[in-house]
Structure formats: C-alpha cells, structure tokens
Amino acid sequence: MSLTNPPSSSGSLSRTRVGNLKRSLQATVDDAIESRRPGGYTSKVRVRDRYNIVGFISSGTYGRVYKAVGKNGKKGEFAIKKFKPDKEGETIQYTGLSQSAIREMALCTELSHANVVQLEEIILEDKCIFMVFEYTEHDLLQIIHHHTQPQRHAIPAPMVRCIMFQLLNGLLYLHTNWVLHRDLKPANILVTSSGAIRIGDLGLARLFYKPLNSLFSGDKVVVTIWYRAPELLMGSRHYTPAVDMWAIGCIFAELLSLRPIFKGEEAKMDSKKTVPFQRNQMMKIVEILGLPRKESWPGLASMPEYSQLQSLVLHRQPSHFHRGSNLEGWYQSCLKNGGYTSTSSAGTPGTDGFDLLSRMLEYDPIKRITAEQALEHPYFTNGGPISGNCFEGIEGKYPHRRVTQDDNDIRTGSLPGTKRSGLQDDSLMRASKRLKE
C-alpha cells in the first residue's frame, strides 16, 4: 500500500501500513532462508551482475556507500549502501543486522515521494545487505562548505527558499505517514544534479503511531547534537515530530549563516550507558534564545533534566542567562554579513524569514510550527513561484561528490573484521573540517 494518504483516525489504515512494513521485512528474511545452501548463502541476484562499481563515496558505523552505474539494460547512476553485519568481539560471529538497518529497509520499501530518497532495490549477498538508492550528486553540507571556499559568499536567497520548501514538503510527507526522521542535518539532505531535494539516511527513522514503549526506551540518543531539540536535551521520554522541525530550523539558520547556529560539544555516555545532560549544547542555545521559562514552556518543570538546567544557571550565571532572546539580533547580523536585504521582497529572507525561523526554534514543542503550517507561511506564499530546481538561475556549477578509487571492491571492502589501511570514515573527515572553520 502506498503511503500517500493522511493518517486515518480509525486506525485501520495505520494497522494495514504497519502490516505492510512487517511483510517487507519478512520478505527479506524469507529470501535469506530460501537462498541458503550447504556451502553458505547464495543470492538470486548478485550486485555485480546488475551494477558496475565506479568508486567509494563514504563510510560510517553501518558500513560503506559506493557509486555505481547500471548494466545489462539497467540505466542510471546509483548509490549502493552496504551494511556490515553486527559482530561480537575480535572473532567474526554473525549476529544479524542492526535495528536501524532493519527499520531503514522496511521504511524505504514503503516510502515514495519526490523529496525523499528513492530506494531502487535490496540485494542479499554473502551475508551482507545492499540497499540500492538513486544517486545524488550533492548534499547540503557539501553545498554549504562550497560557499565558505575560498572565502564566504552567501547562498542565493531564492535558492535557500527553494531548498527549504522542498525539504519541508518531504518532511510533511514523512510526518503525515507517522514517520519521525530523527537525524535531520545538512549531510543527510541530498540534492540531485537537477536541483531536487531528497531527505536521505532514514537509519534513525521510526514509526511513532502508538508506540508500545516510550521513544526514549528504544533509542536513548537521537539527532546529531548540533540539531538536537531542547526537549531531547532536557531528557524527554516522549517526543513528537517537533524534534524534526527544530532540526529544520537549525538547517535554515545554517543555510543563511554558513555555520551551525548551535555548535556545542557533546558529552558522551559513560560505561554504564547513562545519558549525560548536554550542558555545553544547552548553553549554546541559551546564548541565542535566552533561558527557557516555565511561563512560556509549561512542561519545562516536569522534564527529567530540569534540575540540571537550574544547577547550570546557579553555577554559571552569565549575563545572557538573564536576558531574553537575541535571535533577532543574530538574524539581522546574519543578513548583513550575507549581503541579504532586511526587507521581505520576492525571494529574500527578510522579516518573513525571521518569523519562520523563530517559529521553528520555539522552545515549547507544542507551540513549535509544524511542517504543514510552515509550507503555508508568508516566507513561501509571498515570494512568488517556487521552482522544483534549487539551482535555477544560479551561475556556475557546484563540485561533484567526491568518489575515490581507494576501496571500490564492494565484495570484501566492508566485511566484518576486515581492516583496510589508509581509509578514513568520510563523515568523520567532514566533521573535523567543520570544527576547524
């Protein structure tokens, strides 16, 4: 069943949808069982029978991503995400796929929208899962970085507006179909060569319709620290699509300023897996938005980390803890530095842009603007037509995605226990570059 309709209050559509997701997962398991032979696993379809591997794109905890082109009548360019099976200790013991990998496969099989990355197929081969996606030439982190080199030059205002509209359009589709993304950040927002925005990397995404347990109990830490909503920082056990909207607000600010608006340092979990209070990140938010108050955020005092927030105020007591929000001052400085006009004329951020940003970066998640409301905001409705190509009218070309030949053997490059010298985690490399800026 296609996820194109709004959720039904009766729950029947939602139960059907969940059933489809379970059947998608079961089909993957059944393929594995049916294809097992005395010599190990074989596959009905092998990756290299359908794709030529062009090169290596990036890696992470999940595995590696490769660029490929279709062959034997299959046309187009593709990104192949190879999951590493979990292992225990130094000895290779296959313990199955991670929960995030299973969720991503199940969800991507069902989702279909112009602003969400498109899954082509899933291939099981040699105890590894390959997810084949459409290939996208850019992502927002790459575009932002391009605008800081060799010196800062602002992303054109109409381009920012077009990116935001498409991004919110994709997010509305996810939220309408009961999906939280939970890891929205520039690196996960893909851009095709024709200027179409695709929300990618649904590894932390999950359905939020009537969860059996609190969302916190399933995943104690979600959303990359710089884009993490205040209710998550305050230890909320239950949360809503508002966490995604906060992240979208952070992305909006970053597109305008070319740097993260709340660039804190993350405190890691201890050996007992206790989630610490993120003091530094909370301070970065308070510096711009002022201290959250019970009067404007009624649920604040009931948050698990409220005592930590009070302790932070008592011990630090910097002047900005006792003043109101400075978001407008930050925004006006951003417009001036970027050469944007401060008035709301066609295609410019202006006062409409500030109003939208402030509604996204609202402390109280209940008051925070939704994706549907944001798409109807004057920032979009008053600025004239919005193109489906964010590059329309832009002079020059953005650099292509970096693809290397260091590790283009998709069969062995990411097998558990395999160490390949000289290769670094691309996501870590990009993060270190940003920390130096």
Side-chain angles (χ1 to χ4, degrees):
M1 177 177 177
S2 174
L3 300 185
T4 55
N5 298 316
S8 167
S9 58
S10 68
S12 59
L13 286 177
S14 298
R15 285 193 293 273
T16 302
R17 187 172 298 119
V18 172
N20 284 342
L21 294 180
K22 290 180 179 178
R23 284 192 290 275
S24 307
L25 178 57
Q26 188 62 49
T28 303
V29 175
D30 290 344
D31 283 345
I33 295 173
E34 292 173 8
S35 60
R36 189 164 187 172
R37 296 292 181 267
Y41 285 91
T42 60
S43 177
K44 298 174 182 177
V45 177
R46 302 190 73 82
V47 175
R48 287 189 175 274
D49 292 340
R50 307 187 76 159
Y51 304 95
N52 282 319
I53 307 304
V54 175
F56 168 78
I57 298 175
S58 64
S59 64
T61 54
Y62 54 83
R64 297 179 180 274
V65 180
Y66 298 84
K67 181 179 180 180
V69 293
K71 66 178 186 179
N72 296 330
K74 193 175 189 64
K75 297 180 181 179
E77 295 181 323
F78 303 91
I80 302 181
K81 187 173 185 177
K82 179 179 183 181
F83 289 99
K84 292 185 294 188
D86 287 348
K87 63 171 184 173
E88 294 180 347
E90 293 300 319
T91 305
I92 300 175
Q93 294 181 346
Y94 295 92
T95 60
L97 288 167
S98 67
Q99 176 177 265
S100 64
I102 293 171
R103 278 185 188 154
E104 185 172 11
M105 285 188 290
L107 287 172
C108 287
T109 300
E110 291 290 313
L111 298 171
S112 178
H113 189 269
N115 297 123
V116 177
V117 69
Q118 187 64 46
L119 176 68
E120 183 72 18
E121 64 176 328
I122 299 174
I123 297 175
L124 172 68
E125 179 182 339
D126 297 333
K127 299 181 183 178
C128 287
I129 294 288
F130 300 89
M131 293 184 72
V132 183
F133 294 94
E134 61 172 331
Y135 180 74
T136 55
E137 196 61 76
H138 314 281
D139 60 55
L140 288 192
L141 181 57
Q142 173 194 359
I143 287 173
I144 291 169
H145 182 72
H146 173 73
H147 278 268
T148 65
Q149 305 295 326
Q151 59 186 11
R152 290 184 181 275
H153 53 294
I155 300 175
M159 181 174 171
V160 173
R161 181 167 170 263
C162 180
I163 289 171
M164 289 300 299
F165 186 84
Q166 293 190 60
L167 180 51
L168 285 164
N169 196 38
L171 189 61
L172 174 61
Y173 169 76
L174 293 180
H175 289 174
T176 299
N177 289 287
W178 303 106
V179 177
L180 292 177
H181 188 281
R182 304 197 303 174
D183 197 20
L184 291 168
K185 57 184 177 180
N188 289 344
I189 309 303
L190 311 175
V191 188
T192 69
S193 56
S194 60
I197 301 298
R198 307 274 202 262
I199 295 175
D201 199 344
L202 277 77
L204 273 179
R206 64 159 294 167
L207 293 173
F208 65 96
Y209 179 73
K210 290 186 178 179
L212 296 177
N213 300 307
S214 76
L215 295 174
F216 178 86
S217 66
D219 301 280
K220 290 183 170 57
V221 177
V222 293
V223 189
T224 301
I225 187 70
W226 296 343
Y227 310 90
R228 197 173 298 168
E231 62 267 34
L232 295 176
L233 297 174
M234 295 299 294
S236 178
R237 268 37 182 178
H238 289 281
Y239 48 87
T240 67
V243 301
D244 285 342
M245 289 305 300
W246 176 275
I248 294 291
C250 294
I251 292 171
F252 187 20
E254 193 165 339
L255 289 171
L256 295 173
S257 67
L258 303 180
R259 54 170 62 90
I261 183 172
F262 307 124
K263 193 175 180 179
E265 296 178 6
E266 183 170 17
K268 302 297 183 182
M269 287 191 289
D270 59 23
S271 58
K272 297 181 180 178
K273 300 298 182 182
T274 303
V275 181
F277 176 57
Q278 298 294 342
R279 290 173 174 267
N280 187 265
Q281 182 64 25
M282 196 68 208
M283 283 184 62
K284 295 297 182 183
I285 295 173
V286 170
E287 285 173 5
I288 295 178
L289 298 185
L291 192 68
R293 301 191 180 281
K294 293 183 290 184
E295 295 78 15
S296 57
W297 184 1
L300 178 63
S302 63
M303 291 287 182
E305 301 289 5
Y306 181 62
S307 61
Q308 292 280 2
L309 181 65
Q310 289 181 306
S311 173
L312 181 64
V313 175
L314 290 173
H315 287 87
R316 299 279 179 162
Q317 293 189 338
S319 60
H320 55 252
F321 273 26
H322 302 285
R323 67 168 186 245
S325 172
N326 188 42
L327 181 61
E328 187 168 8
W330 178 93
Y331 183 79
Q332 293 301 331
S333 176
C334 175
L335 294 189
K336 182 179 179 181
N337 294 336
Y340 299 114
T341 178
S342 59
T343 59
S344 290
S345 55
T348 63
T351 54
D352 286 340
F354 170 71
D355 186 73
L356 177 60
L357 179 63
S358 64
R359 291 172 185 271
M360 289 176 170
L361 299 181
E362 162 65 51
Y363 269 126
D364 187 349
I366 295 176
K367 299 175 184 175
R368 202 171 299 151
I369 195 171
T370 66
E372 183 176 16
Q373 291 167 344
L375 286 167
E376 297 172 352
H377 191 274
Y379 175 64
F380 298 116
T381 59
N382 291 346
I386 299 176
S387 170
N389 175 9
C390 70
F391 298 135
E392 188 172 287
I394 305 300
E395 295 181 3
K397 298 286 186 181
Y398 287 90
H400 289 187
R401 188 179 295 282
R402 182 168 61 92
V403 179
T404 71
Q405 301 299 317
D406 296 332
D407 178 23
N408 61 358
D409 187 353
I410 199 169
R411 294 170 299 178
T412 61
S414 60
L415 287 177
T418 304
K419 293 184 179 180
R420 301 183 65 90
S421 61
L423 289 177
Q424 301 182 52
D425 186 327
D426 183 65
S427 62
L428 295 178
M429 289 172 63
R430 294 199 291 184
S432 64
K433 284 182 180 178
R434 303 188 79 199
L435 289 171
K436 293 176 182 177
E437 292 178 4

